[in-house]
Amino acid sequence: MSETSYLQEVVILLITAVIAVSVTHHLRLGTIMGYLLAGLAIGPTGFALIHDLETVRLLAEFGVVFLLFTVGLELPLSRIKVILGSAFYLGALQVVATTLVIAAIASWAGFSTSASLVIGGALAFSSTAMVIRILSDGVGLMSQFGRMGFAVLLVQDLAVPVFLVLALALGAGGDSLWGDLGTAGLKLVVAVIAILGFGRIALRHALLQVALIREREIFIALTLAIVLATAYLSHLAGLSMAFGAFLAGMLMAETPYRHQVAADILPFRGLLLGLFFMTVGMAVDLDLAWRNIGLVALLVFALLFGKALIISFIARLLKVSHVDSIHLGLLLCQGGEFAFVLFAAAVNVNLIERAEAQLLILVVAITMLVTPLIARGAQRLAAALERREAVNLETEPPEIEALSGHVVVVGFGRVGRAVAHQLTAQGRELVAVDLDPHRIAQGREAGFQVYYGDATQPDILLSLHIEKAGAVVVALDNAKAALQVVALARYIFPDLPVFARARSESHGDELEEAGAHLVVPELVQTGVKLAREVLDYTEEKAAE
């Protein structure tokens, strides 16, 4: 292909993306849907404007790599322990259960046992790229629900090399399956130790030396080299490149350079990730779908409904709330990008026929295509269920009437609970408000006055007698809502001290501009710090 042809296709990609995303954004369908529709329009079964699909797919894969790297930047090693927990078991059980159920159905449909296991494994994965983007744009990765969804995706990513080895070994036949799986596990351990161990030693020194040069271009070049090198090392170990980049991001999160790295990498991530979503749209074969419309519709519905049911059921077994179980099942019910890799491997070793693989890839691509719409509907359903459950919650607490000088805690998640424990340990009275019925129930069981309500509405704050409060603590997971509450509280009562939790440095600056008396970055032990500041402030006021 000539250089001008490459240039022509790049221009087509960019212009189509700009037009499609602008239209879907105007229609409130989200940017992901715009990229998907753009890819569908210019793909082989659309207007066939793009011919070099392999190069496009290669570039698109780097979009997922950079996405996982930026996720790692927000998750230092100390925070990973908090994220996994019971969600690790949810992810593991989901992969095993979904694989076995789909494998049983595939075997009943006439596939061999080996082919059925590979098909079940491939369809058990969800789309890491799509779900993380949806979580980041919605409830946030660090919310309780976001951490749970991310943990499931992380477990799925760890299972990819297992199923890849399984596909190759089953296709080759022989008695080497367990040996191959053992070798794959050893490679995984070595790769993780090499990246986290050697990387921790070398990374700080390399970043320091380059930072001393004070040339931004060189710093960006080093950042790209770190991302791509760890992705390549992970690939050599049989893992996904995205998983290696995630480990690199975790290492970078421990350094003082993480904010500059995040700013430098953002343009690469956004553009390449958009390209990834476009390749998903290109993978939808409209001709094949039309010829097999009945079968394709049945398989798409079965995959979406079946996975949602399995994930929701396992989540409920692990004591996840009713609302979050349903929401999680609907969010993770699509097929994932790793299914494309596993089906290609299965075709290469003659486990399944190429025509069968193309049909399955089409099904996965369609489930990914409709994911933004399902996610939007799932969020509205979850909100409606929460409101319905909240009807049973006590709304007019008589004990609030007698409160004066109390602390109003907005948001009763991890940080809000830490604040509450610290304040009550010092004999301070408090009242808290949250929108999550599960958190409210937990708080009341622990003896706290926690009530349902949206604190961005003035009436809710007034119902908590904020006019008689000694201080307000804003500990919301949602950065935008936290900003609204701070501004509202400052507007209603200009002299009332407002203490706020900041998700990032830039968020902290916004909170201070909105009128927060003191802002505590999330990287500090936020709940303890907030409580200490509130106690110090109120004691000083009492002494005056």
Side-chain angles (χ1 to χ4, degrees), residues 95-151:
V95 170
V96 172
T98 307
T99 298
L100 293 178
V101 170
I102 295 177
I105 296 173
S107 181
W108 173 79
F111 286 94
S112 66
T113 302
S114 298
S116 299
L117 283 173
V118 173
I119 292 171
L123 297 180
F125 299 118
S126 306
S127 175
T128 300
M130 300 197 78
V131 174
I132 288 181
R133 178 64 181 268
I134 290 169
L135 286 173
S136 299
D137 293 343
V139 297
L141 278 172
M142 288 300 100
S143 65
Q144 182 180 4
F145 179 79
R147 293 197 303 271
M148 184 165 49
F150 175 74

Side-chain angles (χ1 to χ4, degrees), residues 408-410 433 454-462 464-476 480-500 511 513-517:
V408 175
V409 179
V410 179
V433 62
D454 181 1
T456 62
Q457 299 178 11
D459 290 345
I460 297 298
L461 292 178
L462 292 173
L464 300 176
H465 295 283
I466 190 175
E467 74 280 0
K468 297 191 293 183
V472 174
V473 175
V474 180
L476 291 169
K480 182 179 179 181
L483 195 61
Q484 290 175 332
V485 173
V486 169
L488 181 62
R490 174 60 65 196
Y491 176 75
I492 298 175
F493 297 102
D495 298 327
L496 180 66
V498 179
F499 301 81
L511 289 169
E513 291 177 4
H517 176 79

Side-chain angles (χ1 to χ4, degrees), residues 446-457:
F448 295 109
Q449 296 185 57
V450 192
Y451 304 100
Y452 180 85
D454 181 1
T456 62
Q457 299 178 11

Side-chain angles (χ1 to χ4, degrees), residues 197-491:
F198 177 75
R200 181 187 289 267
I201 297 172
L203 190 63
R204 288 180 180 271
H205 180 72
L207 287 169
L208 174 61
Q209 295 304 314
V210 172
L212 290 173
I213 299 174
R214 297 188 178 182
E215 291 288 343
R216 189 182 179 194
E217 294 81 2
I218 303 300
F219 192 84
I220 294 175
L222 177 63
T223 301
L224 293 175
I226 291 170
V227 176
L228 298 179
T230 51
Y232 180 64
L233 180 60
S234 179
H235 174 71
L236 290 179
L239 301 167
S240 69
M241 291 198 298
F243 181 71
F246 170 72
L247 293 179
M250 287 171 52
L251 284 178
M252 197 76 78
E254 306 281 350
T255 72
Y257 308 100
R258 57 184 293 265
H259 297 294
Q260 183 61 49
V261 169
D264 290 339
I265 216 73
L266 190 62
F268 299 97
R269 188 203 76 171
L271 184 60
L272 293 174
L273 190 60
L275 192 57
F276 166 77
F277 293 132
M278 291 179 74
T279 61
V280 174
M282 294 178 193
V284 177
D285 189 335
L286 295 176
D287 293 335
L288 182 62
W290 181 251
R291 293 197 305 270
N292 301 274
I293 188 168
L295 178 60
V296 169
L298 176 63
L299 292 176
V300 167
F301 175 79
L303 180 59
L304 293 172
F305 180 77
K307 282 185 71 174
L309 192 62
I310 291 171
I311 294 170
S312 298
F313 178 72
I314 294 174
R316 286 298 291 152
L317 287 180
L318 295 176
K319 309 301 182 183
V320 177
S321 70
H322 179 65
V323 174
D324 281 350
S325 296
I326 295 174
H327 192 181
L328 194 66
L330 292 172
L331 185 65
L332 297 172
C333 65
Q334 75 289 126
E337 51 271 10
F338 293 123
F340 302 152
V341 177
L342 286 173
F343 286 139
V347 171
N348 291 336
V349 295
N350 299 315
L351 269 181
I352 59 178
E353 298 294 330
R354 185 171 298 277
E356 296 167 341
Q358 288 177 339
L359 185 64
L360 291 171
I361 287 173
L362 172 64
V363 170
V364 171
I366 292 176
T367 63
M368 294 173 72
L369 187 69
V370 299
T371 292
L373 298 178
I374 294 176
R376 185 181 293 269
Q379 193 166 3
R380 290 177 178 174
L381 176 62
L385 290 174
E386 286 180 347
R387 287 194 296 270
R388 183 176 178 180
E389 288 187 5
V391 171
N392 298 322
L393 296 173
E394 186 181 8
T395 56
E396 268 308 317
E399 58 269 30
I400 286 184
E401 297 292 338
L403 288 179
S404 180
H406 59 290
V407 178
V408 175
V409 179
V410 179
F412 210 70
R414 174 174 51 88
V415 176
R417 288 194 300 272
V419 171
H421 283 292
Q422 289 288 319
L423 292 176
T424 53
Q426 298 295 324
R428 302 288 181 176
E429 291 184 304
L430 66 91
V431 60
V433 62
D434 202 290
L435 275 171
D436 187 339
H438 183 61
R439 290 178 177 177
I440 296 170
Q442 285 183 330
R444 290 187 172 186
E445 288 175 5
F448 295 109
Q449 296 185 57
V450 192
Y451 304 100
Y452 180 85
D454 181 1
T456 62
Q457 299 178 11
D459 290 345
I460 297 298
L461 292 178
L462 292 173
S463 70
L464 300 176
H465 295 283
I466 190 175
E467 74 280 0
K468 297 191 293 183
V472 174
V473 175
V474 180
L476 291 169
D477 292 327
N478 188 305
K480 182 179 179 181
L483 195 61
Q484 290 175 332
V485 173
V486 169
L488 181 62
R490 174 60 65 196
Y491 176 75

Side-chain angles (χ1 to χ4, degrees), residues 36-48:
L36 293 171
L37 294 178
L40 183 63
I42 64 178
T45 56
F47 294 105

